[in-house]
Amino acid sequence: MFGEGLLKKRQIKEVLALYSGRLMLIFINALALLIFCGLLLKAQPILQTISISDLLFSSSWHPMKNEFGLFVFIVSTLEVTMLAMIIAVPVCLLAAIYLSEYASRHFREFARFIIDILAGIPSVVYGLCGVLVIVPLVGTIGELAGVSTTGYSLLAGGLVLAVMVIPFIISITVEVLRMVPEPIRECALALGATKWETIKYVVLKKAKRGIMAAVVLGFARAFGETMAVLMVVGNVALLPSSVFDPAYPLPALIANNYGEVMSIPLYDAALMSAALILMLVVALFSLTAHYTLLRIGETIER
Amino acid sequence: MAASADKKVSIEGTIRVSGAWALYPMMIKWAEEFKKIYPQVRIDVSAGGAGKGVTDALTGLVDIGMVSRELRPEEIRQKAFYVSVVKDAVFPTINSGNPVMKELSQKGLKKKFMQDMWVTGREMTWGELTGVNNNQKIRVYTRSDSCGAAETWAKYLGAKQEDLKGVAVYGDPGVAQAVRKDKTSLGYNNLNYAYDMKTGQPQSGLQVVPVDVNENGRVDSGEKLRTKKEAIKAILSGIYPSPPARDLYLVTKDSLRGASKVFVQWILSDGQKYVEEVGYLKLSARQIKEALNKTGK
C-alpha cells in the first residue's frame, strides 16, 4: 500500500519532468520561429514598395529620399567577418593544438579559465579598447604602407572582431581535439611519427570536421556582433576599396538608426529587412555547423 | 498634484532618462541635486543620441527623453510632449596639433568650405583651406548614432544627417576621441565635449575652430571661440548663428505625470541655478515661463 503510493508519486514526477521539458523545448523553438515571422511581417512594407533585387543589390542608401539599398551593408558585413576569420583562424588553430596536445593538464585548466574570462568581456569594452588601441594602430600601419587612413576602417573592425571570436573558437576546437581517442595517437607514435606528424596526419585529420564546425560557429557569432565593430569601423555607406577604408556592417546600421525609426515611415521596415537578412545568414551558418558537428561523432567512431 | 519650489511633495519611484549626449552632463547634475531633495527617488540616466531619446520616450521605454534638435512633425503627431530646458551649440573642432593652427585661428572657417567638406564630400587639403603651403588632406568626421548634434550641424549646412560625409563615429565623446588622435582631423562637438567643464579651455588635444560668420576673411573679436567663456558670449550675442546654437528639450509621451512631472518642474525652476555652473546657457525668462506653463504649473 505504502509502496504503491510512492510509486504513484514517482510516476507523476516522471510524467511531469517529461512534459515540462518538452513544453520548454517547444517554447524555445517557437521563439525562433516567432522572431523570424515577426521580422518578416515588419519588413513587409518595404518589400511591397521596392523590389527585392533593389533592396539587396542597390548601393544607394538615402532613407529621406526613400532609397533603401542594403548592398553596401551586406558586402561590408561579409568583408568584416571574412577578415576577422582570416586573422582569427590560424591563431585559434595553433593555440588550440598547443593546449590540447602539448600543454600539461594544469596549464590547460588555467588557460581555459583565462579564455572564459575573455569570452565574457562585454562588447562595449572591446569597442573602447578598439578605439583607444586598434584604431591608432591601424592608422600607423596605413601610414607605413603609404595609405591615407583615419584608422576607422574595415581592418580595425576585423581586428576587434577577431579578438572577440578567438576565445570562442579556441574553446570549441580544444573540445573537439580532446575527443580524438588516445590510442590513435599512440599508434602513430609507435609507428615512429614525431609528435607534430601525429598531430598533422592523425589528430587534425580526425578532427577536421569539428574544427570546421567551430570556425563556422565563430563566423555566426562574428556576423551579428554590433557594438564593438560599430565603434571602430567608420560607418560610411560606400563600398570599401581597401582594408583601410571605412565600412558599414548591417548590425551597425540597425543600431545606429534605431532612433530614426519614428520619423520616416519605411525606415522601420528597411531596418527590419536588414535584421531579417542577418538572421537568415546566421541561421544558415549555424545549420551547417550543426550538420557537420552531428557527423563528427560518426567519423571518430570509424 | 502640483509641486512648488517651496513646498515639498512626497514622491518616490524611478525616473528613467535617455537620449542626447548634449544634455547628458547637465542631466547627471540635475539628477544628483534632485535626489538630495527627494532621497526616495531613483533617476537612471543613459546617453545614446537624440533619436534614441525620442524613440525611447515615445515607446514608453523611458519616462523622459533628452533631445538636442527640433522635434519632427511625425514625432509631434505621435503625441510627443516636449519642453525646452537649456541651450547649447555645436562647434567645429580640430586637433590641437593641427599643422595650420595659426592661420585657422586668424582666418576662421567659412561656411562654404564646411559645406564643401561635409555635404559635397569634396576632398580638400589644409593648405587649400587657409592659403598656406600644406598638402595634408583634411580628414572629416561625423556621428554614426542618430543625434541632435549631427542633425543641427547638417541643418546649419543646409542638409540632413544622412547627407553628412566623413568617417562616422559613435557618440560625442567618440568624435572628440577621433579628432584627438588624428592631427589632420576636422570634427564637430557639443559645447560641453568641445570645452573642458572645469577649466573652460578646449578639451586637451582639441581646439575649437572659430567660424568666420560675416565672411570678411578674418576672425573678429565677437567671433572668437578660444575659451568656453568666449563661446558662450558668441552664442548669447547672437553672432554665433542658430543653428548650430540650439535649444535642448525634454520629451515624454502625452504629458508629464507623477515623479517625472515634479522633476521637470524642478528643472525649470530651482534646477536652473546649476545650468551655468555645469556650463550650459540659460533660456530666456520668457522661454522658461512658457515651458513651465506647458507642464501645467
Side-chain angles (χ1 to χ4, degrees):
Chain A
M1 247 181 24
F2 166 75
E4 234 171 60
L6 198 65
L7 195 67
K8 260 246 158 45
K9 242 189 191 153
R10 286 175 59 210
Q11 278 170 331
I12 288 171
K13 275 184 184 163
E14 178 67 28
V15 171
L16 266 180
L18 171 72
Y19 278 96
S20 61
R22 198 179 280 173
L23 197 73
M24 286 299 136
L25 194 67
I26 290 170
F27 171 70
I28 293 292
N29 286 322
L31 204 61
L33 205 64
L34 268 176
I35 292 174
F36 179 77
C37 292
L39 287 178
L40 201 59
L41 206 68
K42 283 276 205 181
Q44 274 305 316
I46 196 100
L47 297 172
Q48 283 160 6
T49 16
I50 56 176
S51 65
I52 291 231
S53 66
D54 268 358
L55 188 71
L56 294 180
F57 302 113
S58 146
S59 308
S60 149
W61 174 260
H62 296 287
M64 296 273 179
K65 298 178 197 146
N66 273 350
E67 291 171 358
F68 297 99
L70 292 173
F71 188 65
V72 172
F73 307 104
I74 295 169
V75 172
S76 288
T77 307
L78 290 170
E79 282 179 340
V80 169
T81 312
M82 287 301 274
L83 197 63
M85 286 331 236
I86 291 169
I87 299 164
V89 170
V91 173
C92 290
L93 206 55
L94 289 170
I97 288 172
Y98 180 82
L99 279 182
S100 156
E101 307 298 315
Y102 291 95
S104 66
R105 232 192 79 217
H106 270 301
F107 181 74
R108 186 158 57 233
E109 291 304 315
F110 172 71
R112 267 284 169 76
F113 172 68
I114 299 289
I115 288 168
D116 282 346
I117 289 179
L118 275 180
I121 295 175
S123 184
V124 172
V125 178
Y126 276 114
L128 266 179
C129 294
V131 171
L132 295 174
V133 181
I134 292 186
V135 170
L137 182 79
V138 171
T140 317
I141 295 173
E143 249 164 61
L144 293 176
V147 196
S148 164
T149 173
T150 56
Y152 290 89
S153 59
L154 203 58
L155 183 57
L159 278 168
V160 170
L161 207 47
V163 171
M164 290 181 71
V165 293
I166 280 171
F168 193 73
I169 302 180
I170 287 183
S171 321
I172 301 181
T173 311
V174 171
E175 286 294 330
V176 172
L177 292 176
R178 296 312 298 160
M179 268 168 72
V180 176
E182 204 54 40
I184 298 185
R185 290 192 184 86
E186 282 160 9
C187 285
L189 289 168
L191 288 170
T194 60
K195 185 117 183 158
W196 174 243
E197 283 166 344
T198 307
I199 292 166
K200 192 171 157 189
Y201 296 110
V202 178
V203 180
L204 285 187
K205 203 165 169 200
K206 273 278 177 223
K208 201 162 72 185
R209 271 236 166 91
I211 293 169
M212 285 289 287
V215 169
V216 171
L217 280 176
F219 243 104
R221 214 181 128 87
F223 234 91
E225 185 44 57
T226 310
M227 204 59 216
V229 176
L230 169 130
M231 288 167 85
V232 299
V233 81
N235 306 304
V236 175
L238 286 173
L239 279 178
S241 54
S242 83
V243 290
F244 293 110
D245 277 356
Y248 207 156
L250 281 168
L253 172 78
I254 297 168
N256 276 329
N257 295 303
Y258 149 78
E260 290 301 338
V261 168
M262 284 284 159
S263 34
I264 305 164
L266 278 175
Y267 218 132
D268 194 12
L271 292 184
M272 289 299 168
S273 62
L276 191 66
I277 293 166
L278 205 56
M279 185 171 173
L280 283 175
V281 173
V282 172
L284 195 75
F285 271 89
S286 299
L287 272 176
T288 326
H290 269 285
Y291 190 66
T292 42
L293 267 177
L294 280 176
R295 311 227 339 226
I296 296 172
E298 295 167 30
T299 30
I300 286 178
E301 303 294 274
R302 246 185 283 133
Chain B
M1 178 183 276
S4 68
D6 46 9
K7 199 176 91 212
K8 230 180 91 168
V9 285
S10 76
I11 49 165
E12 51 185 36
T14 306
I15 304 173
R16 294 156 307 168
V17 188
S18 87
W21 291 90
L23 249 174
Y24 184 71
M26 187 72 244
M27 187 48 87
I28 295 284
K29 177 72 178 170
W30 277 333
E32 262 174 39
E33 295 299 329
F34 189 73
K35 270 187 284 198
K36 283 180 194 162
I37 313 171
Y38 298 97
Q40 338 54 344
V41 176
R42 265 195 54 191
I43 305 178
D44 292 336
V45 190
S46 64
K52 188 171 174 356
V54 178
T55 307
D56 285 354
L58 290 182
T59 50
L61 217 58
V62 297
D63 305 297
I64 298 171
M66 305 181 277
V67 184
S68 49
R69 54 164 167 79
E70 299 295 315
L71 270 95
R72 304 202 174 115
E74 299 86 347
E75 288 159 352
I76 294 168
R77 225 176 299 136
Q78 300 217 29
K79 298 215 176 74
F81 170 91
Y82 59 100
V83 287
S84 43
V85 283
V86 281
K87 258 180 102 90
D88 82 335
V90 186
F91 297 99
T93 47
I94 53 172
N95 185 290
S96 55
N98 185 292
V100 294
M101 180 70 82
K102 201 167 115 250
E103 291 78 8
L104 267 182
S105 56
Q106 285 162 0
K107 295 182 174 170
L109 266 178
K110 283 198 173 73
K111 185 172 173 177
K112 179 165 59 77
F113 283 133
M114 293 195 261
Q115 280 167 326
D116 277 351
M117 284 179 289
W118 267 293
V119 185
T120 334
R122 188 157 81 89
E123 291 212 329
M124 291 173 75
T125 63
W126 284 106
E128 265 177 86
L129 196 65
T130 47
V132 294
N133 189 8
N134 177 301
N135 58 4
Q136 284 175 291
K137 268 208 200 99
I138 300 173
R139 289 193 189 136
V140 179
Y141 288 92
T142 182
R143 287 274 292 275
S144 73
D145 44 331
S146 93
C147 62
E151 201 56 57
T152 308
W153 196 240
K155 195 171 169 185
Y156 167 59
L157 302 176
K160 294 260 189 293
Q161 176 174 358
E162 66 178 53
D163 305 322
L164 291 180
K165 304 287 187 294
V167 169
V169 185
Y170 177 80
D172 221 318
V175 174
Q177 179 65 20
V179 172
R180 192 176 295 130
K181 284 257 189 256
D182 185 347
K183 287 227 180 334
T184 56
S185 58
L186 174 67
Y188 55 84
N189 284 101
N190 286 310
L191 179 69
N192 284 296
Y193 293 88
Y195 297 94
D196 187 305
M197 291 207 179
K198 291 201 175 59
T199 62
Q201 294 297 323
Q203 295 273 12
S204 69
L206 293 189
Q207 278 296 333
V208 179
V209 198
V211 177
D212 183 8
V213 184
N214 56 10
E215 315 241 330
N216 63 354
R218 60 191 173 84
V219 176
D220 307 317
S221 67
E223 291 171 344
K224 284 194 174 121
L225 301 170
R226 285 170 310 184
T227 60
K228 191 163 171 178
K229 232 199 184 102
E230 283 181 350
I232 288 178
K233 215 173 92 190
I235 302 168
L236 287 177
S237 66
I239 289 176
Y240 195 73
S242 181
R246 39 84 200 266
D247 293 355
L248 303 174
Y249 300 92
L250 295 182
V251 176
T252 190
K253 176 117 179 142
D254 297 331
S255 65
L256 287 161
R257 285 171 306 273
S260 313
K261 184 173 176 175
V262 179
F263 183 41
V264 173
Q265 288 180 337
W266 175 87
I267 284 173
L268 288 167
S269 47
D270 291 9
Q272 288 294 312
K273 62 173 175 271
Y274 305 105
V275 170
E276 275 155 8
E277 157 191 344
V278 181
Y280 287 76
L281 285 83
K282 273 192 177 163
L283 296 173
S284 65
R286 190 177 52 85
Q287 274 179 303
I288 295 264
K289 201 162 170 267
E290 271 172 21
L292 268 174
N293 286 342
K294 217 172 156 184
T295 63
K297 198 166 168 177

